[in-house]
Amino acid sequence: MINMTINDDVQPQPSNNPRVNVEYCGACDYSGYCLALGQIVRKSTPDAVVFCKRGRQGSFEVVVNDKLVYSKLQTMALPDFNEVAQVVNNVSKGEEPTLIKGQQPINCIIS
């Protein structure tokens, strides 16, 4: 049983629990990368909520609290997971999400 009090006079308090939404390419088998990112984020910010969702081909789009902070579709590389974790941790302390600049090496050779 859950006890709940409803009071119309109480305004909802802003939550410092960051929400991280990752759209990943299922055809590229990026689900493992999404899970790895989620583990790194949760290690530094246990209250963060990370959602992994299969999406567009070639995608690995990272959105923190409704702000796009990294796009693989634009950069052609995966983000630096530690930098993502740092941004999420900063958001948990009340800061605004910032763009991720670091990326992992591109493992694509065009011949």
Side-chain angles (χ1 to χ4, degrees):
M1 177 168 206
I2 299 174
N3 292 327
M4 200 162 104
T5 304
I6 299 175
N7 185 340
D8 291 334
D9 296 329
V10 176
Q11 296 296 318
Q13 297 298 313
S15 171
N16 286 341
N17 296 357
R19 294 176 321 281
V20 182
N21 294 298
V22 181
E23 174 194 349
Y24 68 89
C25 174
C28 304
D29 197 24
Y30 287 164
S31 61
Y33 290 117
C34 190
L35 294 174
L37 174 60
Q39 288 176 339
I40 292 169
V41 166
R42 295 291 311 271
K43 186 174 182 181
S44 68
T45 312
D47 292 335
V49 179
V50 181
F51 296 98
C52 294
K53 178 183 174 189
R54 187 179 175 138
R56 296 168 285 176
Q57 186 169 353
S59 66
F60 199 88
E61 313 305 286
V62 182
V63 176
V64 178
N65 287 2
D66 301 321
K67 179 180 178 185
L68 180 67
V69 296
Y70 192 85
S71 172
K72 182 181 175 298
L73 294 173
Q74 294 175 2
T75 64
M76 302 303 293
L78 293 169
D80 178 321
F81 290 175
N82 291 319
E83 186 177 346
V84 174
Q86 183 60 54
V87 166
V88 173
N89 190 267
N90 292 346
V91 168
S92 75
K93 297 174 183 174
E95 294 183 23
E96 289 295 316
T98 57
L99 296 178
I100 305 299
K101 296 181 177 92
Q103 61 188 35
Q104 297 181 20
I106 299 172
N107 294 326
C108 178
I109 299 172
I110 300 174
S111 55

